[in-house]
Every structure is written in C-alpha cells, then in structure tokens.
Amino acid sequence: MFRFLHQPDRALRPFLILWSTQTFSALGSAMTGYALLIWSYRALGSALGTAMLAVCTYAPYVALSIFAGALSDRWDPKKTMLVGDTLAALCTVGIGVLYLTGNLRIWHLYGLNFLLGLFNTVQQPASDVAVTLLTPKSHVQRVCGLRSLGNAAVTLLTPAAASALLAFAGLPAVLWFDLGTFAMAFLALLLRVRIPQRGPAEGAQAREPLSEATRAGLRYLRGNPGVLHLILFLALINLIASMYNAALPAMLLSRQNGGDFALGAVNTVTGLATVLGGILTTLLPAPKSRVRLILNALLFSMSFENFLLAFGRSPIVWCVAAVLGWIAIPAMGANMDALLRLRIPVTMQGRVYAARNTLQFFTIPVGNLLGGLLVDRVFEPLMAAQANDGLLPLLFGTGKGSGAAALYACLGVLGVLSCLPFRRDAALWALETPPQPAPDAAPAQADPA
C-alpha cells in the first residue's frame, strides 16, 4: 500500500490529492465535534442533551437529501464542495466568536449543527460523485479501502489530538486547527484537482424538472431491490449504532474507572482497530462474496462489542470491545461502497446516493434521540431503583452509568436479531451477479491537475 501511495498510478493522483486533504479537513471537523461533545456533557450531564447534537446534525440531512441529490447531479461537484466547505468553516468561526465572548450556549450548538447538516445534504452526494469520476474502474476496491482507511485514521487521531489541544490550549486551539485544515483542503481542491465532466447525459439532466429528477433516485431503487434491501439493512444497523453512540459518553464518563481518560482510550482504540481494518482492506484483494463479508462483519461487530460494554467494568475490557466491534467495519464499508459504485450509473449516482442518504440515515437521529431517552428516562432510573445485591446490579454494576451498560446488553441482542434475517434475503445475494456494463460508466482514467 505504501508503495502505491508513494508511486501512484498517474490517473489516481487527483483522487489522492482530494482524499488526503479532505481527510485532514475531516480530522479538524471531528476534533471540533469531540471537544464540543465533552463541553456539552460537562455543561448538561445528560445523555439526551449530548445526543441532541447528533439529532440536529442529521435531521436536515435525512429530510432534504432526496431533493439535494437531484441538485447535486445538476451542479458542478467541485463548486458544490467548495461552497459547502466554506459555509461549514463559517459555522466554526461562529462557535469561536460565541465562546471567546462568553456567550456560547448549548442551543447555539444545536442551531449550528442544524446548519452543518443542511450544508452536508448537497455536499456529500457531490463528493461521492467526484470520487467516482476520479476513480478508474480497475482501482475501485483500492480507492474504497483508502476511503475507509482515511475514516479510520480520523477516528484514531481525533480523541488524542482534541484532548491534547483542549488540555494545553483550550477550545479556541481546536477551532483554529479546524479552520487551518479547511483552508488546506479548500486550496487543494480549488487549485490542484480537476474533476472530469459526467458526459453528454449531464445536459439532459440539467433540463429535467426537479420533481422528476428527485423521483428518479427512488425509481432506481424500486427497480433494483438488492440495492434497496442493502440500504434498508444498513438503516436498521444505523438505528442500533446511533443508540450505542448516544449511550457511550454517558457510560464511560460516569462509571467507576471511567472519565475522560476512559472515553479517550476507547475512542483511540476504536481508531486503531479501524486503521488496521482499513489497511487490511486496502492490501487484500476483493472478496469472492462482498455480500457475505458485509453480513458477517456486521453480525460479529454488533454482538461482541455491545455485550462486552454491557458486562465489562474496566477500560481494558471496554477497549477490547472497541477492537472487536470496529476492526471489521472498514471492510464492510469498502465493499458496500464498491457494490454501489459498480452498479449505479455515474449519471444517476447523485440522485441515488441522495435517496440512499434519506433511507439509510434517517434512523440515525431517531436512534440518538431514542438512546438518550432510554438512558436518562428508563435504564438509569431502573438501575437506581435496584437493591445493590440484586441480579441487575450484579450484571451491570451500580451507580450512574450502569443504566447505559444495561442498554448495551439490549443492543447486543437487538444487533444479532437484526442481522440474521437478512442472511436469507435473496435480493441481497443477487447483488453477487456482475452488473451489465453501462454506457455512462466512470472514465478509464482522469488527467491529473
């Protein structure tokens, strides 16, 4: 892999520039999100309050994505990404001004996260299309692996880097780093990356009525049940995973042997596991069965991690849970990404990805809201009412955070029950059949900028 990065195929250089700079910018954004998560939990002490940050980010994203995809297929992806990055940077500036003047409140973060989610509705489909246009078909598996590796690297570095900057220089330093990474990514995209045109069908799409273009993505999914079922399966997984995310800070920051160190350690180990998984995904050849790999990876991850978080009482056990839960996720994500890119015509990808975003990601704000409510209103009161020598305290411990541990046991059962039925879905297995070549397939190569 490192030889490939050092001496890449000439056609892949634009993608590598885009991928590396956008990944670095994503690290800055993730560090800001991590720092604000800690700030909000310390201010509120509520799982629901911190979960609302994710709800506000994803609510506009899933509500408007289906319309934004039609626009992203009409608009130039490069310009769309540049505008989206700029608006997101302005939100970061707004947070910094409010913090430095002593006026930052939790409702400000809710509002700014809503705006970030709004900007991302158009930017994300444009980014997906740009990657397809820059990727020769012979390198799809490797590019998908690199994207997973980039996401893993962000997950690995975020907690340690954000915690270090917070400890030594405070929240403003995190925000300045975020803005610096934005500037680098913006200039690289503006000056160094030329994204090819999508072909003659692009002009016809620009003249197509917006309502018809919006329905086109849904029609494609109705006509391709395997893709649709895969998206719905991931929607169910996202529901469980977002409940996991809502409960994690509440459990690790509150439990005995927990605190900031435990949360940072688990997040760091999660990053290490995903980096290792991303490296393996990039180095290894494509699997014989992408569908089988996706199903097995999610069954493994959804079971072991949740159960170990539920019954573990120390950072070591929680870190082992993170390794088992995340090491297979890059392979799952890369192979799902490859399945979609190889099957969906590039002139349709913006609209289909937008429909995918609405169907697959609408469960994320629901899960975050549900997870916060279940921790604060159901499981924590339930555990507080138990006698110390009862069965539930024996299984999940006592004190604040034991309710979140009990929720993880339920999520483990729900994860297993969610994965097993899809193993018998014939439409999913039909995705193993190679797709017919499309006339508007991605170009064999792209000229470097």
Side-chain angles (χ1 to χ4, degrees), residues 36-276:
L36 292 174
L37 177 70
I38 293 177
W39 180 89
S40 62
Y41 189 79
R42 286 174 175 169
L44 299 174
S46 165
L48 178 59
T50 54
M52 284 299 296
L53 292 170
V55 171
C56 290
T57 299
Y58 274 98
Y61 183 70
V62 300
L64 300 176
S65 277
I66 195 166
F67 305 104
L71 294 175
S72 71
D73 274 335
R74 296 163 174 241
W75 296 343
D76 182 279
K78 179 173 177 175
K79 293 178 182 177
T80 302
M81 293 170 67
L82 290 172
V83 171
D85 284 344
T86 301
L87 294 174
L90 291 175
C91 287
T92 302
V93 171
I95 293 172
V97 170
L98 289 169
Y99 181 82
L100 292 174
T101 58
N103 294 314
L104 184 62
R105 302 291 183 269
I106 189 66
W107 66 267
H108 292 137
L109 299 182
Y110 294 156
L112 289 170
N113 275 20
F114 183 89
L115 290 176
L116 288 171
L118 194 62
F119 304 151
N120 204 30
T121 57
V122 176
Q123 184 186 28
Q124 188 59 51
S127 177
D128 286 332
V129 171
V131 169
T132 299
L133 291 170
L134 291 171
T135 303
K137 287 231 172 189
S138 60
H139 288 297
V140 167
Q141 177 73 15
R142 183 169 288 171
V143 162
C144 292
L146 285 173
R147 296 186 81 203
S148 292
L149 179 60
N151 293 335
V154 170
T155 303
L156 167 65
L157 296 173
T158 292
S163 298
L165 277 180
L166 275 174
F168 292 107
L171 182 60
V174 178
L175 300 179
W176 276 115
F177 182 83
D178 189 2
L179 291 174
T181 60
F182 150 75
M184 184 193 68
F186 182 92
L187 292 174
L189 177 57
L190 179 66
L191 302 175
R192 298 293 307 281
V193 178
R194 185 180 69 82
I195 299 175
Q197 294 297 312
R198 282 173 276 200
E202 190 176 37
Q205 292 166 10
R207 296 188 297 270
E208 187 179 27
L210 182 60
S211 58
E212 177 63 23
T214 299
R215 288 193 294 268
L218 293 173
R219 280 201 305 270
Y220 179 89
L221 292 178
R222 282 199 300 268
N224 292 268
V227 176
L228 177 60
H229 291 189
L230 183 60
I231 288 170
L232 295 178
F233 175 45
L234 267 293
L236 182 57
I237 295 299
N238 283 338
L239 177 69
I240 301 169
S242 55
M243 287 194 280
Y244 160 98
N245 289 332
L248 190 66
M251 188 183 86
L252 296 184
L253 292 174
S254 304
R255 300 218 75 175
Q256 184 179 7
N257 299 323
D260 289 357
F261 171 79
L263 180 62
V266 169
N267 281 318
T268 299
V269 170
T270 296
L272 284 169
T274 49
V275 165
L276 178 59

Side-chain angles (χ1 to χ4, degrees), residues 383-407:
M383 294 302 298
Q386 304 297 309
N388 287 342
D389 58 351
L391 176 62
L392 292 181
L394 178 64
L395 292 174
F396 307 116
T398 58
K400 193 171 183 180
S402 59
L407 174 61

Side-chain angles (χ1 to χ4, degrees), residues 229-230 233-234 236-237 289-303 332 415-430 432:
H229 291 189
L230 183 60
F233 175 45
L234 267 293
L236 182 57
I237 295 299
S289 172
R290 295 186 191 276
V291 172
R292 187 181 303 279
L293 186 147
I294 291 169
L295 292 170
N296 288 342
L298 287 173
L299 178 62
F300 181 84
S301 297
M302 299 299 289
S303 55
M332 181 280 299
V416 173
L417 295 179
S418 299
C419 291
L420 293 178
F422 282 91
R423 303 179 73 86
R424 303 181 64 84
D425 189 329
L428 277 185
W429 290 105
E432 299 289 357

